[in-house]
């Protein structure tokens, strides 16, 4: 009986963490691209600086780490027989692995920032919707993710949606951008989507090979990954002389110098919410589910871009959006049917089996 109660408590805690991370992801996934594009629209030109902002807010992840340590310390103090908790519990292997993942993330961030600099937000967002297809493929290879008719259908629809955009590439080219710059931005955004699709299953792959993983450890891994990515971007900023021109760029920024720095800080915070949410969802559910939630936010970002930035929304974008939404509905319908069948068999509704419930401290 006590084991059943403990199991239910663990599942309840994990659902709460899943909800919190979904909210963080929603805020970051919608606000991040918009504020990044705002930087470029009003005179920002530094690609490496923009890519650095995608991960430089990683100290925010120290808050849940410190909170977990404080709670563990209090329990340890009340129970004299329990071992003294550690602030960080990373192993050298995990540190090395996530440092490498961070390097790839840094490169992916640069490619994405370049794409946002050259493309309308709505176009870049639609291209990034293909991340779900890449996530599904790599999840199948790395973590043996099982496919259903609905998940395969969703992947095909997303690929067709991106294909429609590619067929009409250049029709929404921003003023001042050459065709060559637009095409390069389009191609690099596709590569960034592929790398992002690789990262989530890779992270889940490492989670499954960790004997005891907690939410606090997940945040530690996120800090290592983001720090590594930030270092890559800082090196790029040094080579590209970004630090020498930031003050001049701030003075010439279209919204004013003060708002320039507000945009930079806001971008760092929003993108950190995105990272914490995406990685937290992998911990609570799976990399494929995280990819789906990211993709679900994309149509909202497209609509917001049209509203706030008055971006054009031609017929091909509408077709691509419909195909994307169709894919999302197909996937979620498949998951609904799957969950219904699992409940009938008294199996957990999540991707992880009951015997793999992990602590969420």
């Amino acid at each position: 009986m006590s084991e059943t109660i403990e199991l239910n408590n663990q599942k309840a805690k994990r659902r709460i963490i899943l909800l919190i991370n979904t909210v963080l992801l929603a805020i970051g996934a919608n606000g991040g691209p918009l504020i990044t594009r705002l930087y470029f629209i009003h005179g920002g030109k530094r690609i490496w600086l923009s890519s650095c902002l995608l991960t430089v807010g990683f100290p925010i992840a120290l808050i849940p780490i410190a909170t977990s340590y404080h709670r563990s310390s209090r329990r340890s103090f009340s129970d004299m027989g329990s071992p003294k908790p550690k602030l960080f519990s990373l192993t050298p292997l995990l540190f090395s692995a996530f440092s490498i993942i961070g390097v790839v993330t840094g490169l992916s961030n640069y490619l994405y920032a370049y794409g946002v600099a050259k493309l309308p937000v709505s176009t870049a967002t639609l291209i990034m919707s293909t991340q779900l297809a890449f996530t599904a493929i790599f999840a199948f290879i790395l973590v043996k993710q099982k496919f259903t008719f609905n998940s395969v259908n969703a992947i095909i629809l997303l690929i067709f949606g991106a294909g429609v955009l590619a067929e009409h590439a250049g029709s929404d080219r921003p003023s001042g951008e050459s065709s060559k710059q637009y095409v390069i931005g389009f191609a690099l955004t596709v590569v960034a989507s592929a790398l992002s699709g690789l990262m989530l299953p890779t992270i889940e792959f490492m989670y499954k090979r960790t004997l005891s993983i907690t939410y606090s450890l997940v945040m530690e891994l996120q800090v290592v990954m983001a720090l590594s990515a930030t270092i890559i971007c800082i090196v790029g900023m040094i080579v590209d002389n970004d630090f020498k021109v930031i003050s001049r760029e701030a003075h010439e920024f279209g919204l004013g110098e003060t708002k320039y720095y507000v945009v930079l800080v806001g971008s760092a915070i929003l993108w950190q919410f995105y990272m914490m949410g995406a990685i937290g969802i992998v911990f609570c559910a799976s990399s494929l589910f995280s990819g789906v939630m990211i993709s679900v936010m994309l149509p909202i970002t497209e609509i917001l871009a049209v509203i706030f930035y008055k971006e054009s929304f031609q017929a091909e974008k509408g077709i691509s959006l419909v195909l994307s939404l169709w894919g999302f509905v197909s996937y979620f319908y498949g998951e609904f049917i799957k969950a219904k069948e699992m409940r009938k068999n008294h199996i957990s509704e999540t991707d992880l089996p009951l015997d793999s419930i992990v602590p969420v401290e």
Side-chain angles (χ1 to χ4, degrees):
M1 179 65 70
S2 60
E3 291 182 359
T4 302
I5 295 175
E6 178 65 21
L7 182 61
N8 291 333
N9 289 338
Q10 289 288 342
K11 290 170 62 178
K13 289 179 181 179
R14 192 167 60 179
R15 290 194 184 99
I16 293 173
I17 293 177
L18 178 61
L19 176 61
I20 292 173
N21 281 281
T22 301
V23 172
L24 290 175
L25 179 66
I27 295 172
N30 291 307
L34 293 175
I35 199 169
T36 298
R37 184 59 184 166
L38 182 68
Y39 164 78
F40 289 111
I41 288 176
H42 291 282
K45 296 181 176 65
R46 316 312 298 181
I47 306 295
W48 277 114
L49 170 61
S50 182
S51 60
C52 185
L53 294 175
L54 271 64
T55 53
V56 74
F58 67 86
I60 295 175
L62 295 174
I63 296 175
I65 295 175
T67 302
S68 176
Y69 174 75
H70 176 69
R71 291 176 57 191
S72 298
S73 296
R74 291 182 60 182
R75 286 199 299 267
S76 176
F77 180 78
S78 59
D79 185 2
M80 302 302 295
S82 62
K84 187 177 180 181
K86 296 179 180 179
L87 181 59
F88 297 103
S89 53
L90 275 172
T91 64
L93 176 61
L94 285 175
F95 181 87
S96 301
F98 277 81
S99 295
I100 295 173
I101 294 174
V103 171
V104 178
T105 300
L107 297 176
S108 174
N109 289 348
Y110 176 81
L111 299 178
Y112 174 77
Y114 189 96
V116 174
K118 306 301 179 184
L119 305 174
V121 174
S122 53
T123 301
T125 299
L126 282 168
I127 296 172
M128 289 302 293
S129 68
T130 60
Q131 176 182 332
L132 177 58
F134 291 113
T135 299
I137 294 170
F138 289 121
F140 173 76
I141 296 173
L142 294 176
V143 296
K144 311 304 180 185
Q145 177 72 46
K146 294 182 179 180
F147 288 107
T148 64
F149 169 80
N150 295 92
S151 60
V152 173
N153 184 52
I155 294 170
I156 293 174
L157 289 169
L158 288 170
I159 292 175
F160 270 103
V164 171
L165 278 182
E167 182 69 21
H168 297 83
S171 60
D172 64 342
R173 188 172 70 248
S175 59
E177 297 291 348
S178 66
S179 297
K180 181 180 179 181
Q181 288 176 321
Y182 184 95
V183 171
I184 293 175
F186 192 101
L188 293 184
T189 306
V190 173
V191 177
S193 178
L195 290 176
S196 298
L198 171 63
M199 289 302 98
L200 294 177
T202 302
I203 291 171
E204 183 180 2
F205 177 82
M206 294 304 301
Y207 285 174
K208 289 181 178 296
R209 276 148 184 78
T210 304
L211 295 178
S212 178
I213 186 165
T214 65
Y215 185 69
S216 177
L217 178 57
V218 168
M219 290 296 100
E220 292 178 38
L221 298 174
Q222 194 272 326
V223 168
V224 172
M225 185 175 68
L227 175 60
S228 180
T230 301
I231 291 173
I232 293 297
C233 293
I234 289 176
V235 171
M237 291 176 64
I238 294 173
V239 173
D240 209 27
N241 295 318
D242 281 12
F243 289 104
K244 296 181 180 180
V245 301
I246 286 179
S247 59
R248 185 178 74 234
E249 186 174 81
H251 181 71
E252 298 173 353
F253 194 60
L255 298 178
E257 186 171 357
T258 300
K259 290 184 178 179
Y260 173 85
Y261 292 108
V262 171
V263 168
L264 297 189
V265 174
S267 180
I269 294 173
L270 287 172
W271 281 114
Q272 184 57 35
F273 283 174
Y274 171 85
M275 286 195 67
M276 291 175 64
I279 294 176
I281 291 175
V282 175
F283 164 75
C284 296
S286 70
S287 58
L288 184 59
F289 184 74
S290 183
V292 169
M293 293 307 300
I294 292 171
S295 298
V296 166
M297 306 301 170
L298 297 180
I300 302 174
T301 307
E302 296 164 28
I303 295 171
L304 292 175
V306 173
I307 294 173
F308 291 112
Y309 296 151
K310 310 301 179 184
E311 294 184 355
S312 60
F313 201 80
Q314 300 99 328
E316 61 269 15
K317 285 187 179 180
I319 294 173
S320 181
L321 178 58
V322 170
L323 290 173
S324 297
L325 291 174
W326 186 3
F328 303 151
V329 171
S330 176
Y331 179 87
F332 277 114
Y333 178 74
E335 288 300 297
F336 172 77
I337 297 300
K338 178 182 175 182
K340 190 174 181 180
E341 292 177 353
M342 294 174 74
R343 281 196 296 270
K344 288 181 179 179
N345 296 320
H346 303 287
I347 300 176
S348 173
E349 297 178 10
T350 65
D351 290 303
L352 296 176
L354 293 178
D355 59 359
S356 64
I357 295 287
V358 291
V360 293
E361 297 178 0

